Each structure stands twice: as structure tokens, then as C-alpha cells.
Amino acid sequence: MHMQWKRTFALIFSGQIFSILTSAMVQFSVIWHLTEATGSASVLMIAGLAGFLPQAVLGPFIGVWLDRWNRKLTMMIADTVIAVSSLVLGLFYLWGEPSLWVVYAVLLIRSAASAFHAPSFQAAIPLIAPEEQLTRVAGWHQLVFSASGILGPALGIAVYSATSLGTVLLLDVLGALIANVMLLMVRIDQPKPEVVETPSFGKEFVLGWKTFLSAKPIVIITIAMAVFSVAFMPLSMLFPLMTLSHFGRGGYSASLIEAVFGAGMILGGGLLSVLASKWRDSTYMSISLFVIGVTCVLCGLIGSSAFAAFVGLSFFMGAAAPLFNGPYMAMIQKSYDPEKLGRVLSFVTSIGLLSSPIGLALAGPVVDRFGVQIWFFWAGIIVVLIGVFLFLKFNKSGQEQQSLGQ
């Protein structure tokens, strides 16, 4: 039994590595292709919305559905849908240039399928691994995602430059096929279904809302996080456009920026685990927002010959991100009773996810009219102000300590 779960995970993860990596390759290659082909921020923002909205809308409800469905089958169907959509778009590109609505439709379908794949995989893990090994498995999972986030853009652009976008998309079909074959080779027992009342989404929402409002510091930080999402989220789509339009560089340079940002995030996560508990949670979050804001402002000011500076700023921006996310989650976990935590987390996640499309919708027309650096600069100013506000708010009032009983 002890070795059995390890063998099961070795098979599952070896398949998932191919699937996650090829998906990361496709995601970056499609965005780069649209950047290169259109040079339009509005096109990129619509692509971002297509790839994001299904997950934002479906996110709050998926957990309830997954508890009723077979998790292994859900993963396999989701991977198959992603593969078929990649195959369709790949064939379009091999025959010629498809219209933008075809690309948007495929991104929409891939996003909806991904919204089911990731949580069903997470929900399947406790059915396989012993409880005392869950943290170790979470570490493996994080490693796969981090490595894919760094390697995916670089490999995607290499294949894209050497062949075509159609080839990258067909590789994604192969990745999903390998993942499904590996899943077929393992057994995942379903949890015994509980006889419970069908939950009412309306009642759950109201209860989650009331619980959420009971901790005022979390409400303040969540509003700040929502404003941050509106300003910062579009940058994930604008990095390739910045590389192309401002610095006049190609796909390899754009993939380098993605890799450097990812490497910064890994370092930031490690730094947080070492420094944790030295300061209060809100202080880490203020530092994170201040560093992200300043790096954005500097990106908005640097000249077109300073690509090396852009690489360095992207690294520090990535390194600062975990210093917000980690302490924010820790504050939420300390502020609410465990039995109500799930509802609050679902509610908070929805606020973050639904704020981001607002930023994407606003950024397109602004960047098309005034240039990509304008959004970097003003997003940076807004993020710095949020960081300063949180620092002054929690250091003056000591609200965080009072609410958390510290």
C-alpha cells in the first residue's frame, strides 16, 4: 500500500506534466501570434477575456458539481475537450489563417474545460495519497506548475518559430492523449456519496457574504485586492505587446520575460516561507504592492533600448507577488471559523476573478489609443497608492491584530 500510492502518482504526474506543459506552450504561442499578427491591445484583451471569463463564472459552482461526479472521468473528459479544441484550431492554422472569432471560441472552450480539470485533479489527490503525504504531493504539484510556467513559453516559441502555431496546437493534442492514457492505467476510488440536501446557491451566497463582512480588515483588503486586479491583471496579456511594440523584439525575448517573472515568483515564495512570521501579514502585503507598483511605474518610463532593465524589473515584480497572496490567505484562514472558511474563500476568489475582466475590458481601448507604457505607468501608481493605504491603515489602527486576536 505504501508504494502503491507513489506508483499511482508517478503515472498521473508523468501524464499531467505533458498536458500542463503543452497547454502552457499553446497559451503563450496563441497570445504571441495574436500580438505579432494584429499588434492590437483590444484583440489581446478580448482573447484574455475569452480565456478567463468561463473560469471566473464557473469557479464558484464547480466544487458542488465535482462532489457528485467521478473525478477521474471528469479529468479525462476535460483533457479530451481541450485536445479536440486544440486539434480544430491547429487544423485551421495548418490550412490558413482563421478568423479571430474562431480563436476566441476555442480559447473560451479551453478555459471552460480547464475550470473543471484543475479542481477535479486537486479533489482526486486525497483519494490517492495518505493524509500525512498531502503536503509533499502539493509540493510536487506546485513544482510541475512552476516548471511549466517557465518552460512552456520558451518551448512554445521555439516550436512556433521553427514550424507554425498549428504544430504547437497539435503537440497539445499529444500531451492530452498521454495524460489520458496514464489516467486509464490508474485506479481512483470515488468517495462514498453522502445523503445530503441539495445546496441552495442563493442561501450559500448570502451566508458567505454575511460571514465575510464579519471581519472588517478582510473586507478592506479584499476591496483593495479587487482594485489591484483591475489595474494589474491586464499586464499579463500586455507583456508580449510591450516586448514587441516598445522594444521591437521577437518571441524569444517575450518568452524570456515570462520565464524571468515565473522564476521571480518561485524565489518570492521561498523567501516568504523563510521570512514568515517576522512581521504582521498586512506589512508583507504592503511591501508586495509597493514593489509591484514601483516596478510597473519604472516599466512605464524606461526607453526602448533598456530591454535588460525590463527583464530585471519583471523578475522583481514576480518575486513580490507571493508576498501578497500568501499572507492574504493566511489572514483569511485566521479570521474565520474552519466550518465557514470554504464559503468565504469561494466568495473572495469570485471577487478577484470577476474584477479582472473589468481591467481587461478597460485596458484594450486605452492601450490602443495611448500606447502600452501608459497602462504600466498608471497601473503602477494605483498599486503603490493601495500599498501605502494598507500600510497606514493597519499600522495606525492595529485593526489586523484586534481582528485576529494577535
Side-chain angles (χ1 to χ4, degrees):
M1 174 66 192
H2 175 66
M3 293 307 295
Q4 184 64 35
W5 75 269
K6 286 189 176 177
R7 181 185 167 275
T8 301
F9 269 111
L11 285 168
I12 292 174
F13 270 114
S14 56
Q16 291 303 309
I17 285 167
F18 283 101
S19 177
I20 293 166
L21 183 62
T22 53
S23 286
M25 288 168 67
V26 165
Q27 195 174 328
F28 183 75
S29 299
V30 169
I31 295 303
W32 178 251
H33 178 79
L34 292 175
T35 305
E36 209 174 34
T38 69
S40 165
S42 294
V43 167
L44 290 176
M45 295 305 115
I46 296 167
L49 282 168
F52 196 83
L53 263 181
Q55 293 184 50
V57 174
L58 292 169
F61 311 110
I62 280 173
V64 178
W65 294 331
L66 283 183
D67 287 339
R68 304 173 193 172
W69 296 347
N70 182 300
R71 285 155 198 189
K72 175 177 163 179
L73 193 60
T74 305
M75 285 166 69
M76 291 179 70
I77 291 169
D79 250 339
T80 303
V81 170
I82 291 169
V84 169
S85 65
S86 287
L87 179 62
V88 169
L89 191 57
L91 292 172
F92 264 106
Y93 273 112
L94 291 173
W95 289 329
E97 188 78 16
S99 60
L100 283 172
W101 73 264
V102 174
V103 180
Y104 297 151
V106 169
L107 289 173
L108 206 69
I109 293 163
R110 286 175 64 87
S111 176
S114 298
F116 286 95
H117 185 276
S120 59
F121 185 35
Q122 290 286 15
I125 287 171
L127 302 176
I128 307 164
E131 193 175 333
E132 68 276 8
Q133 299 292 343
L134 289 177
T135 306
R136 180 187 289 186
V137 174
W140 295 343
H141 196 221
Q142 202 57 50
L143 195 66
V144 170
F145 265 97
S146 301
S148 300
I150 293 171
L151 288 173
L155 289 173
I157 210 70
V159 175
Y160 172 75
S161 301
T163 55
S164 67
L165 184 58
T167 310
V168 183
L169 287 155
L170 294 179
L171 279 176
D172 192 34
V173 178
L174 183 64
L177 191 65
I178 293 169
N180 276 352
V181 168
M182 293 300 187
L183 274 172
L184 279 172
M185 294 166 70
V186 301
R187 179 179 165 181
I188 302 174
D189 294 317
Q190 277 295 101
K192 287 176 184 157
E194 292 180 49
V195 183
V196 290
E197 243 182 86
T198 305
S200 156
F201 285 119
K203 284 179 187 171
E204 295 284 314
F205 183 87
V206 172
L207 191 57
W209 172 248
K210 285 180 178 172
T211 308
F212 167 69
L213 290 179
S214 67
K216 288 289 180 283
I218 302 298
V219 175
I220 293 165
I221 292 170
T222 302
I223 293 167
M225 180 269 293
V227 178
F228 168 75
S229 296
V230 171
F232 188 74
M233 179 61 194
L235 295 182
S236 62
M237 305 297 290
L238 292 173
F239 273 108
L241 187 62
M242 178 84 158
T243 306
L244 180 72
S245 68
H246 184 63
F247 296 106
R249 286 174 167 258
Y252 286 105
S253 295
S255 70
L256 173 68
I257 295 296
E258 300 286 327
V260 163
F261 189 92
M265 282 190 76
I266 293 169
L267 179 77
L271 201 64
L272 181 64
S273 63
V274 172
L275 296 174
S277 307
K278 288 202 185 294
W279 299 315
R280 65 177 81 167
D281 291 328
S282 59
T283 304
Y284 287 112
M285 293 160 75
S286 300
I287 291 168
S288 169
L289 292 172
F290 188 77
V291 172
I292 290 171
V294 169
T295 50
C296 283
V297 168
L298 291 173
C299 287
L301 293 173
I302 56 176
S304 57
S305 59
F307 182 72
F310 185 50
V311 172
L313 290 168
S314 300
F315 176 80
F316 285 110
M317 202 186 294
L323 299 180
F324 182 91
N325 296 331
Y328 178 47
M329 278 300 132
M331 273 187 79
I332 291 171
Q333 287 160 352
K334 293 174 197 170
S335 299
Y336 301 98
D337 296 332
E339 62 271 15
K340 295 176 182 174
L341 193 57
R343 292 187 195 97
V344 173
L345 282 173
S346 174
F347 191 79
V348 166
T349 305
S350 298
I351 292 172
L353 286 172
L354 293 170
S355 305
S356 303
I358 298 168
L360 289 167
L362 291 171
V366 170
V367 172
D368 277 339
R369 183 160 182 192
F370 301 107
V372 69
Q373 278 194 295
I374 289 291
W375 193 272
F376 271 90
F377 180 82
W378 287 108
I381 296 291
I382 291 165
V383 174
V384 167
L385 291 174
I386 298 168
V388 171
F389 165 75
L390 289 183
F391 185 78
L392 294 174
K393 178 76 183 167
F394 289 107
N395 278 276
K396 273 184 181 175
S397 65
Q399 238 183 319
E400 180 191 337
Q401 273 85 347
Q402 290 163 23
S403 78
L404 304 178
Q406 290 175 343

